[in-house]
Structures are given as C-alpha cells and as structure tokens.
Amino acid sequence: MNSKVDLNEKFISFLEQTKDDTHKSVTHLNDRVLIVDGLNTFIRSFAVNPAVNEDGLHVGGMVGFLKSVRYTCDILKPSRCIIVFDGKNGSGRRQKIYPEYKGTRKVKRRLNRNVDWGTAPMDEEQSMKQQMGRLIEYLEQLPLTLICVDGIEADDTMAYISQQVLKESDIFLMSTDKDFLQLVDERVKVWSPTKKKLYTKKEIFDEYGIHSHNILTYRILDGDKSDNIGGIKGAGLKTVKKFLPGILDDQKFTAKDLLEFVEKSDGKIKFLENIKNSSNIIKRNYLLMQLQNVDIPNHTKMKIQGAVNGKVPQLIKYRFQTMFLKDKLTSGIKNLDSWIMEFTRLDRFRGLNG
C-alpha cells in the first residue's frame, strides 16, 4: 500500500515539474527542441529491452529506441526533435589527450546503414549492427533531424547546438550521460530516460547540493568510469562538499579556482593534498569532460549548422508502416496508428520557420 502511495506521489510530482514547460505556446520550429543522444539511447535500449519479433529475432534495440523517443516527445511536447550519433572516429580527439579514453568499451560502435535485414541467427555484435542500421531507416521516415558528423562525438555536437547554434531555444538534452548536467541553466534542461526525470537547475541542486554551473568541477574530481576516466582518490560527493566550500557557492568554482585553492591549503588534509599532487589529472579531465565551449574545427561547425538549419524531413507514414509490417514488430508496438500520432504532431511544426 505504501509503495503505491509513493509511486502516486512521484507521478504527481513529475507532472507538476513538467506542466509549466510543456504548455508553452510554440510559434517557431526551434522554440522547444529535444536533442537525443542517439547511441546512448540505442545501447541502453539494446541492453534492457528483450522484445523479439514474430520470427523470434531480437528487436529490442530498435523498438526500445523508437518507444523511448516517442514517449519523451509525448511528455515534453517539443516543436522539433534532433537525433545525434557519434561520427566515425568520434573519440579520436579525446584519445589523443588520453589514449585509455573509453578503453573499457567492449562492443564496437559503428553506424552501418548497409545491412541485410534477415532472420538468420547472429551474435550480439551482429544483432546490434543490424538493428542500428535498420533503426536509421525507420528514423528517416519520421519528421526528425539526424546528425552524424565524422570526427566528433555526439556529446560535442549536442553541446555545440545547445550553446552556439540554437542560443534562443528552450533545449531538452536526452541522455543518461551526467556530463550534460554541466550545461543546465534557465534555457537548457536534461531529460534522463531511465529516471524519467527532467533536470532543471533546482533538480540538480536538490540531488547534488551543488549548483549546475559547478557540476563540471565535481565531475572532474570524480571522474567517469563509463568512459574509463579516473578521478581523484577519495573524491566522493560528501568529501568534495566538505573540503571544497567554493564548490557550494552560487558563483562559478572552476578547475582553475580549484587548483588555486588547494595550492593555498596547509597540507594537513589528505584529500586536498591528493588534488594538489594530481593537478595533471584535473587538467586532463577538464579537457576530456567540459562541454561548455567544445573544441571542434570550423568546418565541422559549419556541417552541424547546415544540418540544424536545413529542412526537417516530413513524416512518411506509409513507408514506416510498410517497414513495420515487413519486420513483424507488432509485438513490440501494439497499436501503431495511435503510437505514430505523436510524430504526426511533430510533423505539423515543420512549416513554423518564423
């Protein structure tokens, strides 16, 4: 009984959190933009969604991705949705800084459009590549902007769009990657598809006790196991807040401020000494993790701008339905006509250019 009450309270709290945002009037295509971390969403869906089609073929990565994006559009009501994937050799820049970056990743992540959608048994990596390729074909039938630029990761593309290209838009970044929390301000928010939670400045402060503009400094100290980025020994959240009072301020406490602070410390606190003796790690992690001013070439920026400013594709419902029936996905998405209505809504915004 208590668990039901808790769930109801959480749902009511969630509705209160999002209702002000989702009922704002839209007068321009880019008023409310959802930007999806494509590979992050696909890998998560592939891992947790057990859906199989009528032939017994695993389709969880593909179906889970489509359902996750559709659900988020239904909740946040964006006027536009942009899906961003890592480009070929996207991790190259960071691996030059730190060769072990993402060194623990086991599955090769490659966008492969040229696939044979058959029913033969396959291993996990084959299934992942095949589902990814077919997923792209599905996404191309929906009113979505797809962006994949060689030599750059999705994180940088998403950050550049939110900080430089669509500077006047309300932005929702969809990802489980905590690095995006550093970008949250009055205009930019982060949607966690696993927690079903919209991270605003308030939500970040309530969860971490740190303002969003200082999340980067905390992340630099803590590191990121998922990307194989080591941090400073002992840099738990409680310890960081206890010995680094500047990180609690409503003013920015940067990596530079951090190093200056520990240089002036008296040497009696082991944690501060750990930071002082690991300034190279602080500088390295800043270069690897900061998204507020991404380091990408001008020609790459122009490609991203061109993709964002280009015409949004229209919904081609009959092609989507044909593919859906051919792939026998009815067990994954029960009522396609009802399900696709959210993309019909998105399709109506394509003409709102001013």
Side-chain angles (χ1 to χ4, degrees):
M1 182 69 177
N2 289 338
S3 62
K4 289 184 178 180
V5 172
D6 290 342
L7 286 173
N8 286 335
E9 288 178 351
K10 287 181 179 179
F11 185 68
I12 291 170
S13 175
F14 172 74
L15 290 179
E16 290 295 320
Q17 177 191 7
T18 58
K19 70 178 182 180
D20 290 338
D21 270 327
T22 57
H23 287 85
K24 290 180 181 178
S25 61
V26 172
T27 60
H28 191 280
L29 174 66
N30 292 325
D31 278 353
R32 297 171 54 78
V33 182
L34 171 64
I35 309 178
V36 179
D37 187 346
L39 195 57
N40 177 279
T41 303
F42 175 77
I43 296 296
R44 176 177 53 83
S45 299
F46 185 90
V48 305
N49 193 311
V52 294
N53 68 2
E54 294 175 15
D55 294 325
L57 186 69
H58 179 241
V59 292
M62 186 168 62
V63 170
F65 186 106
L66 291 169
K67 292 176 74 172
S68 184
V69 171
R70 193 270 184 192
Y71 175 84
T72 305
C73 286
D74 185 37
I75 292 294
L76 299 180
K77 300 299 182 188
S79 54
R80 183 179 186 183
C81 180
I82 299 173
I83 314 285
V84 182
F85 290 97
D86 293 349
K88 183 179 179 181
N89 195 34
S91 300
R93 181 182 68 81
R94 287 184 171 89
Q95 286 173 341
K96 287 180 181 178
I97 298 169
Y98 182 51
E100 288 79 22
Y101 176 69
K102 290 191 176 179
T104 55
R105 298 287 174 90
K106 294 181 180 180
V107 180
K108 293 181 180 178
R109 299 180 172 185
R110 180 183 173 190
L111 196 62
N112 180 9
R113 297 188 183 211
N114 300 314
V115 295
D116 179 14
W117 186 245
T119 58
M122 63 187 75
D123 62 26
E124 184 177 272
E125 186 172 342
Q126 287 177 316
S127 177
M128 181 175 286
K129 288 181 179 180
Q130 187 163 320
Q131 287 188 58
M132 174 65 90
R134 188 59 165 171
L135 172 64
I136 296 302
E137 294 179 23
Y138 275 100
L139 296 178
E140 288 174 337
Q141 313 313 315
L142 299 174
L144 311 171
T145 299
L146 307 184
I147 301 179
C148 178
V149 181
D150 286 351
I152 183 173
E153 292 184 271
D155 302 32
D156 292 324
T157 303
M158 294 170 69
Y160 178 64
I161 293 172
S162 69
Q163 302 298 297
Q164 301 296 324
V165 182
L166 299 178
K167 295 186 288 187
E168 306 299 323
S169 303
D170 286 331
I171 300 287
F172 302 92
L173 302 172
M174 174 177 162
S175 181
T176 60
D177 190 338
K178 295 178 182 177
D179 282 339
F180 287 117
L181 297 180
Q182 66 184 273
L183 300 177
V184 170
D185 56 21
E186 299 296 340
R187 189 177 56 82
V188 178
K189 302 174 180 65
V190 172
W191 170 258
S192 170
T194 51
K195 296 182 179 180
K196 302 293 189 291
K197 182 174 182 177
L198 186 64
Y199 279 94
T200 63
K201 291 171 65 176
K202 180 182 182 302
E203 291 296 324
I204 290 175
F205 187 78
D206 288 347
E207 184 167 322
Y208 291 90
I210 297 173
H211 294 282
S212 57
H213 52 250
N214 287 332
I215 284 291
L216 173 59
T217 304
Y218 165 60
R219 296 277 293 153
I220 288 169
L221 289 162
D222 190 41
D224 188 341
K225 289 182 180 178
S226 66
D227 285 339
N228 199 35
I229 301 174
I232 303 298
K233 185 177 180 180
L237 184 57
K238 288 183 179 180
T239 302
V240 169
K241 294 197 298 187
K242 179 179 180 180
F243 294 112
L244 297 172
I247 207 167
L248 303 175
D249 291 346
D250 57 4
Q251 302 295 319
K252 274 195 175 183
F253 183 72
T254 66
K256 181 180 178 183
D257 296 328
L258 168 67
L259 293 176
E260 289 177 353
F261 178 81
V262 297
E263 277 300 320
K264 296 175 183 176
S265 61
D266 59 14
K268 295 180 181 179
I269 300 173
K270 180 65 174 175
F271 173 58
L272 298 184
E273 281 299 292
N274 288 343
I275 299 174
K276 187 185 297 186
N277 295 330
S278 304
S279 61
N280 60 319
I281 292 178
I282 298 297
K283 294 172 183 175
R284 179 200 72 191
N285 286 3
Y286 174 81
L287 293 174
L288 293 173
M289 302 174 81
Q290 79 85 17
L291 295 174
Q292 294 156 350
N293 185 22
V294 292
D295 180 21
I296 57 179
N298 286 333
H299 70 272
T300 300
K301 292 179 180 179
M302 291 180 66
K303 286 182 181 179
I304 296 170
Q305 292 170 20
V308 173
N309 295 328
K311 189 176 181 180
V312 177
Q314 70 180 97
L315 170 66
I316 309 178
K317 186 176 178 181
Y318 80 92
R319 287 187 188 169
F320 191 98
Q321 291 172 319
T322 300
M323 293 167 59
F324 183 86
L325 293 173
K326 180 181 178 181
D327 297 337
K328 303 176 182 178
L329 301 184
T330 51
S331 60
I333 298 176
K334 300 294 184 182
N335 187 337
L336 181 60
D337 286 336
S338 174
W339 181 88
I340 209 167
M341 285 300 294
E342 189 55 40
F343 295 104
T344 302
R345 183 195 68 81
L346 260 185
D347 196 49
R348 297 193 189 107
F349 289 115
R350 291 187 308 110
L352 292 179
N353 296 317

